[in-house]
Amino acid sequence: TCALPIYGMHVAWYLLPLAVAVSLVYSATRYEYPPQILRRSARLLVTILVSMAAVFAVLCLLSWNL
């Protein structure tokens, strides 16, 4: 169940567009050349998603038998 009325869509699906936006904005503030912005934002996006997946896995393991 969701805490917000999103009509059947799980709140976690908002993490993907949020990660894309954060990586693009951060890379655009650091670099000026558009291909470099896209390359660096793709690397940062992968880093963010892997980090979120690792945190999720740790939290799942810690709450396994609760």
Side-chain angles (χ1 to χ4, degrees):
T1 62
C2 292
L4 300 173
I6 305 177
Y7 305 108
M9 188 171 164
H10 198 273
V11 177
W13 283 109
Y14 287 111
L15 293 176
L16 183 60
L18 179 64
V20 169
V22 166
S23 64
L24 279 172
V25 169
Y26 181 78
S27 296
T29 60
R30 306 278 292 174
Y31 306 103
E32 293 184 8
Y33 189 57
Q36 188 177 16
I37 291 171
L38 293 176
R39 275 195 311 272
R40 298 296 279 188
S41 67
R43 281 180 59 187
L44 183 59
L45 176 64
V46 169
T47 303
I48 291 171
L49 292 177
V50 167
S51 300
M52 286 194 304
V55 168
F56 177 74
V58 167
L59 290 175
C60 280
L61 288 174
L62 289 175
S63 66
W64 184 256
N65 285 325
L66 292 180

